Amino acid sequence: MSQSFRSRLEEWKLDRRQFLYATGGLAGLVATSPLQALTEKVTPSFSTNPFTLGVASGDPLADSVMLWTRLAVEPLAADGSGGIDPVRVPVQWYVATDDRMRHVVRRGVTFADPDFAHSVHVDVDRLAPGRWYWYQFQVRGEWSPIGRTRTLVPHGDSPHRIRFAFASCQHFEMGFYNAYQHMAQENLDLVLFLGDYIYEDGVSPTLPRQHDGPEPTTVGAYRNRHAVYKSDANLQATHAAFPWLVVFDDHEVENNWAGPFDENGSAPELFLPRRASAFQAYYEHMPLRARSIPRGPDIQLFRRFTFGDLAEFNMLDTRQYRDNQACGDGTDIGCAEALDPNRTITGAEQEQWLLRGLRRSQARWNVLGQQVFMAQRDFEAGPLKRLSMDGWDGYAASRDRILGTVNARHIRNVVVLTGDVHANYAAELKANFDDPTSETIGTEFVGTSITSGGDGADLPANALTLLAENPHIKFVNTQRGYVVCDVTRRRWQSEYKVVPFVTAPGAPIATRTRFTVLDDEPGLHEE
Ligand code: FE
Ligand code: CA
């Protein structure tokens, strides 16, 4: 967005606000019930309850949390408006210490702005650390579902435990969110979502569920795609149950995009407007803080969360600042470009931010919540190595710089959490992946998809090759599900939860396996 357009937009917003005040809003503001007056003068009446997309919370700190909802009476309206008139709508919010909203401790009014698809982002501050809160929205007598959220623990505290789940890749068309039906019932402090919240592809009528229309490129079309996903009851239940830390991967924009390039390597001036539309809709549908409001084609997504001195979460963005995939993307044998020491998957600024954070960290467990496979992964039987150019294997220098610092600085208990590949893996991060006897310097847990790829298998066809070619990989499985991490000062435990099918609703949940990492002793132990 050009600067002049931005300032004209600001002027227009100001004019409109003055207009609203002149037509009665201001009178209402000085009356005894300003909110009521504003609501009656300005708010369109809703034909149905506008909280069709549920509620969510996220980016918690020790004293605050973001609350989210979006007003939409007609979530798939062709113009992407959600069927709400293009005016700012005042929305009341309430935060309570009980699940029936009897003991309200914080409340306020915010505006659902048509420029943000009538989404609502409330930064609730002055909360107590490490405790549950419940929240609810109200607009013109219509009430949202009640959500539950939890604050983090402050620096300096020494909590003895954190329990959270991580998930990724929830292709709506591929099946039912059976995994979320069970995740919503788990005992968790937090959920990490590691990318592919939506998929951008067109319609495939033979798949178990259908999303709307063709591949989105405009902000309206991306909004509607998010609205389809957010209409799912199991996804809504999981958002309503826990605060989430979200990062995107590729499909929130376009398959395998890299920095300013789409998957076809089109000129940046062709791709960046699309990226801006996708980021706008992404922000509008996620419980992100104001620093993540997109500025045209740019969004600030990498960020850090600290849970006392027990765990620190470095949420990464390995898409926006990466070099284009080497050797034409896909998998490749002997790609020299992938080894270029100047290549980066994080960009220089994020890399420095991450390394600085790791060096300064006081946390027992240092978590990287990120998108793509970090450990080396050779797909080719025999001495040749076939590597994926979209994962860290295509950016070996980035991996060497980060793992090299972890090794040299003896950074304690680095655990990498990954999505993307629609498979469960557990891997040891080696000083030299080609030498199984080299030092283990960290651990990677890769979580399967929620639905992407369909029902999956306990032992996929290539599993034995992957295990044989990559001795640092200890587990491969492509059943759908999520991973629960139960973390104490003494040990990390990852529990792989799987469902037998996603092509029909109502699957049971089972624990496929558990891996443990001991404090100050990188490396995997299967239980
Ligand atoms: Fe995916
Ligand atoms: Ca090989």
Side-chain angles (χ1 to χ4, degrees), residues 168-171 195-199 249-251 255 419-422 449 452-453:
S168 62
C169 295
Q170 53 185 29
H171 196 163
D196 290 359
Y197 193 96
I198 61 163
Y199 281 71
D249 188 23
D250 55 335
H251 289 288
N255 180 52
D420 182 49
V421 292
H422 311 166
S449 63
S452 304

Side-chain angles (χ1 to χ4, degrees), residues 326-407:
C327 298
D329 206 351
T331 63
D332 204 89
I333 293 174
C335 174
E337 189 189 351
L339 306 176
D340 182 338
N342 295 315
R343 283 175 64 72
T344 179
I345 195 170
T346 59
E349 185 194 337
Q350 181 177 202
E351 181 179 298
Q352 282 157 25
W353 167 86
L354 174 62
L355 294 179
R356 199 166 53 237
L358 290 174
R359 284 196 300 263
R360 290 178 183 172
S361 170
Q362 303 291 313
R364 180 67 53 104
W365 301 94
N366 288 290
V367 183
L368 276 58
Q370 59 99 44
Q371 293 79 18
V372 293
F373 215 95
M374 182 177 272
Q376 180 170 286
R377 191 170 48 136
D378 171 15
F379 292 92
E380 186 84 4
L384 294 177
K385 286 191 290 184
R386 175 180 294 279
L387 305 174
S388 166
M389 294 296 106
D390 193 57
W392 291 74
D393 274 334
Y395 304 82
S398 275
R399 182 172 62 199
D400 290 347
R401 286 190 294 268
I402 291 166
L403 294 184
T405 300
V406 170
N407 201 10

Side-chain angles (χ1 to χ4, degrees), residues 1 216-219 222 226 248-250 252-254 257-262 267-283 294-300 317-323:
M1 194 186 294
T217 57
T218 64
V219 67
Y222 277 111
H226 277 279
F248 53 59
D249 188 23
D250 55 335
E252 287 86 347
V253 182
E254 199 235 12
W257 66 280
F261 302 106
D262 66 13
E269 55 267 36
L270 292 177
F271 176 59
L272 288 177
R274 181 180 184 184
R275 198 175 97 173
S277 297
F279 285 177
Q280 177 70 19
Y282 184 76
Y283 169 77
R295 299 171 64 88
D298 302 313
I299 188 170
Q300 175 67 44
D317 173 354
T318 61
R319 281 286 157 198
Q320 200 176 174
Y321 316 105
R322 64 160 70 189
D323 290 317

